[in-house]
């Protein structure tokens, strides 16, 4: 048995596929490629697939982690697996992992925020750098009309949290006024974000 960690992206129309549907999508494509899973026990066995922190429907993700347990692994089949994935879902890298569960390793999320319809980036930037964000926000930068930032604990503090915060500050009224991309999930080591693979 091998536990494989894959780093994937979901873009375009595929970003509207719910997080809970991803294991089924990965499993179907892997089966078509000839890969065999380790299954959970119980009345309704499912392939053992662990995903990183959920994202709201419609949020693009560039480097998301997933741990998938296979009964055997053949590197020669990875291209077949990738070729069977739907348009908008891509696997960028993969490697065998052991030890901690994926949920314990997802400590930091990095994001890009783009204001739409003439919303001044300066006001959003000031809202993100204020003391109210406290320990949640680890780093924030503004460049070329976008804001990049790191937030701790992506299980709890993600794009949904940020949108609610900006609505509460009366800077936006809903999701349609900004675009958010999660660029990576990782861990903090000595003050730097380190990717999971």
């Amino acid at each position: 048995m091998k536990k494989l960690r894959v780093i994937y992206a979901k873009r375009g129309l595929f970003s509207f596929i719910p997080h809970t549907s991803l294991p089924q999508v990965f499993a179907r494509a892997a089966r078509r490629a000839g890969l065999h899973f380790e299954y959970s026990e119980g009345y309704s066995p499912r392939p053992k697939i662990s995903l990183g922190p959920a994202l709201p429907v419609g949020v693009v993700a560039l480097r998301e982690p997933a741990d998938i347990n296979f009964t055997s692994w053949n590197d020669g089949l990875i291209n077949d697996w990738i070729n069977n994935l739907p348009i908008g879902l891509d696997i960028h890298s993969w490697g065998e992992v052991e030890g901690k569960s994926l949920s314990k390793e997802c400590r930091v999320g990095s994001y890009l925020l783009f204001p739409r319809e003439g919303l001044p980036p300066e006001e959003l930037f000031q809202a993100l750098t204020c003391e109210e964000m406290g320990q949640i926000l680890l780093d924030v930068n503004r460049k070329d009309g976008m804001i990049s930032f790191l937030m701790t604990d992506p299980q709890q503090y993600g794009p949904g949290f940020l949108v609610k915060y900006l609505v509460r500050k009366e800077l936006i009224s809903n999701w349609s006024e900004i675009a958010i991309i999660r660029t990576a999930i990782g861990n903090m080591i000595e003050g730097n974000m380190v990717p999971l693979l």
Side-chain angles (χ1 to χ4, degrees), residues 41-75:
E41 297 177 3
Y43 291 109
S44 180
R46 299 178 190 278
K48 285 190 175 180
I49 299 175
S50 299
L51 300 175
L55 277 173
V57 170
V59 174
V60 170
L62 302 182
R63 294 187 51 81
E64 295 292 294
D67 284 355
I68 304 172
N69 293 60
F70 293 98
T71 54
S72 61
W73 175 253
N74 179 342
D75 277 335

Side-chain angles (χ1 to χ4, degrees), residues 82-157:
I82 292 169
N83 291 335
N84 278 294
L85 292 171
I87 293 170
L89 179 62
D90 304 299
I91 294 175
H92 295 297
S93 56
W94 59 91
E96 194 174 341
V97 292
E98 295 177 4
K100 289 183 184 177
S101 70
L102 181 59
S103 62
K104 292 183 179 176
E105 293 190 53
C106 298
R107 296 288 181 210
V108 181
S110 67
Y111 302 86
L112 294 174
L113 185 149
F114 300 88
R116 293 183 176 154
E117 298 181 21
L119 189 66
E122 185 59 39
E123 290 182 32
L124 295 173
F125 182 73
Q126 287 174 0
L128 290 175
T129 54
C130 78
E131 288 181 24
E132 208 175 320
M133 290 296 279
Q135 298 296 318
I136 298 167
L137 196 69
L138 301 174
D139 187 34
V140 62
N141 294 293
R142 184 175 156 233
K143 183 181 178 186
D144 299 330
M146 69 176 176
I147 300 167
S148 64
F149 56 98
L150 297 177
M151 284 200 309
T152 189
D153 192 3
Q155 301 274 11
Q156 185 173 356
Y157 303 112

